[in-house]
Amino acid sequence: MARRGSKKRPFYSIVVTHSEAPRDGRFIERIGTYNPLTDPAAVTFKTDRLDYWLQQGAQPTDTVRSLIRRHTDRAVPQAS
């Protein structure tokens, strides 16, 4: 997730990135958004791209894995 938004008003882009890239650094593709300030939290995914990257072996972070589990009907593989 790449943090966007101003101070004390976070907004996150859910991105595909190389594991060694910094949090807000270079990324491969933006596949969704997460706004924790709305009630309930607003989460959107490009489901076709999410499926593609998971099939390619992308490992979501724990936070993104929980967002996928809660807001889609996708099965998310566990990290090994």
Side-chain angles (χ1 to χ4, degrees):
M1 292 188 358
R3 189 179 194 279
R4 303 285 181 238
S6 59
K7 184 170 145 182
K8 299 194 187 243
R9 304 285 300 166
F11 182 84
Y12 297 92
S13 293
I14 300 170
V15 297
V16 176
T17 185
H18 189 271
S19 62
E20 295 176 0
R23 181 191 72 185
D24 293 336
R26 198 167 151 192
F27 60 89
I28 299 169
E29 181 178 1
R30 183 176 291 129
I31 62 169
T33 60
Y34 170 55
N35 184 356
L37 298 178
T38 60
D39 188 30
V43 178
T44 60
F45 288 103
K46 294 179 186 173
T47 54
D48 57 332
R49 298 308 293 166
L50 173 64
D51 290 339
Y52 170 79
W53 284 109
L54 291 175
Q55 289 172 0
Q56 295 300 314
Q59 294 295 314
T61 61
D62 293 336
T63 304
V64 173
R65 182 177 285 113
S66 71
L67 289 173
I68 294 169
R69 219 180 275 134
R70 275 190 263 159
H71 298 281
T72 68
D73 58 352
R74 306 291 188 274
V76 183
Q78 291 293 328
S80 39

